[in-house]
Amino acid sequence: LLEARPTDCFSSKHLLKLDGRPIGRFRGRWLSDGIEIEFVERLRLRFENTSWLGRGYRLIETSTGEVLATAGRAGILSGTWKLELRSGPKEMFRSHLFSSGFEVRQGTQSVAQVSRIGWFERGWRVEANGPLDVTDLVFLGLIYHKVLQQQSSG
């Protein structure tokens, strides 16, 4: 279980916890759609927008420039995301018609669920039930983070 919670009410900083242990933090950048992620093990990642209107993202290891994951919307009006993760290709789509959560599938198998921590909190959680590493979990959560931001702004 990966969770991201804001450090305080008005902050853009979030604390990342894996199974209750702090593993890092991320912060949005002013005047940018990018996010900087810092892990306790000194691993640094960058989450970037790759296309117009937030239709595509990628996760990059900052020290090497290696692209670890990519995502793009499946269609112009689609809420489904096509993902290329370290663990292979996946799709992320709404769990239910009236739900704010998303489900991640590889073929017909559900491998993760992404949802809000609570109705009145800005944080989110990723629950994996498949072979996903921590960078995959963080990337899924950040895609969800951006979806929530886009919904709240328009």
Side-chain angles (χ1 to χ4, degrees), residues 11 27 38 49 51 61 74 81 84 89 98 101 116 126 133 137 148 150 153:
S11 178
R27 176 195 314 227
E38 298 175 357
N49 185 355
S51 65
E61 184 177 342
W81 290 83
E84 282 295 329
F98 299 108
R116 293 175 189 259
V126 181
D133 68 11
L137 297 176
L148 291 178
Q150 290 168 0
S153 66

Side-chain angles (χ1 to χ4, degrees), residues 87-115:
S87 58
K90 312 264 187 295
E91 283 190 335
M92 187 169 89
F93 54 90
R94 281 211 187 279
S95 300
H96 307 292
L97 182 61
F98 299 108
S99 171
S100 66
F102 279 73
E103 183 175 359
V104 180
R105 288 187 176 255
Q106 185 167 17
T108 59
Q109 180 185 5
S110 176
V111 294
Q113 290 79 37
V114 189
S115 60

Side-chain angles (χ1 to χ4, degrees), residues 44-83:
R44 290 178 180 254
L45 305 175
R46 189 173 59 245
F47 180 80
E48 295 180 335
N49 185 355
T50 60
S51 65
W52 189 59
L53 293 177
R55 300 190 54 77
Y57 294 97
R58 65 183 175 183
L59 186 66
I60 299 169
E61 184 177 342
T62 53
S63 64
T64 64
E66 178 187 3
V67 176
L68 303 176
T70 61
R73 292 217 182 211
I76 294 173
L77 299 176
S78 175
T80 300
W81 290 83
K82 298 277 187 187
L83 310 168

Side-chain angles (χ1 to χ4, degrees), residues 1 6-7 14 18 22 28 32 39 42 44 47 57 62 66 68 90 98 102 104 107 121-123 127 131 141 146 151:
L1 174 67
T7 56
H14 286 70
L18 184 63
S32 171
F39 288 94
R42 299 192 190 274
R44 290 178 180 254
F47 180 80
Y57 294 97
T62 53
E66 178 187 3
L68 303 176
K90 312 264 187 295
F98 299 108
F102 279 73
V104 180
E121 292 188 53
R122 292 184 299 141
E127 295 181 66
K146 288 298 182 180
Q151 288 174 349

